[in-house]
Amino acid sequence: MTHKARKRFGQNFLQDSHIIDNILMTANPEHGEHWVEIGPGQGALTAPLLATGVKLDLIELDRDLVSYLSHKFADEEQLTLHSQDALTVDFSQLATNSSRLHIIGNLPYNISTPILFHLMKYADHIHSMYFMLQKEVVERICATPGNKRYGRLTIMLQYYCQAEPLFDVPPESFDPQPKVMSAIFKLTPHQKAPVDITNLKHLNQVVTQAFSQRRKTLRNSLKKSFTEAEIYALDINPELRAEAISLTEFARLSNAFTLKNP
Ligand code: SAM
């Protein structure tokens, strides 16, 4: 196919068959499962996915590629092609029967965060997700407290999912080559939320505030919301920086914020 990669759609097509094999081996799709691929592009992951006998929904924004894919996979009965922006897809509608979805994609890097937050709304309908993104973003998603990449993205995604980095993918594996290193990671939605949060908007608000000036202690960064004594009362040291605070501690801050701001 002679498709000129479109930058605005974040198009970097996978060319490396070893990497493609590794992704498939790691994701391990099994006959009869329901998979969704976001941004199938020219079908680098799609063809081996179909070969495993899964039911597959494809979501592709670029109409030229949708047209190409509809011809390429015209005989595949297990396949449904959606010419749509993944950010507008209601994933609960795709999960028609009781079995939860498996989602995979070499995601367009330009909309990586919005796509992940959109998917989190449907976490209850999702069994597992295998994605490729810039390595730096993967490190932020999978970080642990104390790590320099630990931040808002870490906390908000790890509230919904267990996050696991899998392996790196170098620029040479794509055409055109991205400027940065990429990495594959897995998200597994929690069966039960790891912490009780009364108001998720407040968690987001407190976390955003705490990380707005990473170098500052909580006493300073959360000044608008809590006194030093209030932070102490939650059994959190106000002299610590946000990057030292676990999800459980952020949950305590968030729920205390909700009590103060009903
Ligand atoms: N899966 C292919 C591969 O690995 O070679 C293509 C990956 S490329 C990085 C990202 C793909 O996502 C492109 O096909 C692009 O057109 C598509 N895309 C970009 N924005 C999208 C969106 N909002 N919704 C669905 N697909 C999108």
Side-chain angles (χ1 to χ4, degrees), residues 104 114-115 163 170 181 199 249 260:
I104 192 165
I115 280 204
M181 193 74 171
N199 183 329
E249 289 164 323
K260 290 175 63 165

Side-chain angles (χ1 to χ4, degrees), residues 105-109 111-113 116 131-138 141 181-185:
N106 169 14
L107 295 179
Y109 295 177
I111 52 161
S112 52
T113 319
L116 292 173
F131 293 133
M132 173 134 60
L133 279 177
Q134 308 92 307
K135 184 176 180 192
E136 185 254 323
V137 176
V138 174
I141 293 167
M181 193 74 171
S182 303
I184 303 278
F185 67 107

Side-chain angles (χ1 to χ4, degrees), residues 9-14 37 39-41 44 59-62 65 84-86 106-108 111:
F9 291 150
Q11 293 179 350
N12 298 96
F13 299 109
L14 262 174
E37 187 186 357
I59 302 164
E60 175 55 63
L61 181 60
D62 185 330
L65 290 174
Q84 197 175 340
D85 182 341
N106 169 14
L107 295 179
I111 52 161

Side-chain angles (χ1 to χ4, degrees), residues 88 93 97 111-112 153-154 157 165 172 176 188 227 233 239 257:
T88 66
Q93 290 291 315
N97 52 25
I111 52 161
S112 52
L153 189 61
T154 321
L157 289 189
E172 306 78 66
T188 312
T227 63
E239 295 305 323
F257 184 84

Side-chain angles (χ1 to χ4, degrees), residues 148 150-152 204-225 238-245 250:
K148 68 172 181 183
Y150 185 74
R152 185 182 88 96
N204 189 27
Q205 218 170 308
V206 169
V207 170
T208 306
Q209 221 177 80
F211 282 102
S212 61
Q213 289 159 304
R214 298 185 68 96
R215 312 291 304 166
K216 287 200 170 174
T217 62
L218 294 181
R219 180 165 59 86
N220 283 316
S221 60
L222 294 180
K223 210 183 251 168
K224 280 195 200 137
S225 307
E239 295 305 323
L240 293 175
R241 290 179 183 152
E243 66 188 28
I245 304 302
F250 272 118

Side-chain angles (χ1 to χ4, degrees), residues 140-158:
R140 279 163 55 201
I141 293 167
C142 303
T144 48
N147 185 292
K148 68 172 181 183
R149 303 261 194 237
Y150 185 74
R152 185 182 88 96
L153 189 61
T154 321
I155 310 270
M156 297 314 291
L157 289 189
Q158 291 189 14

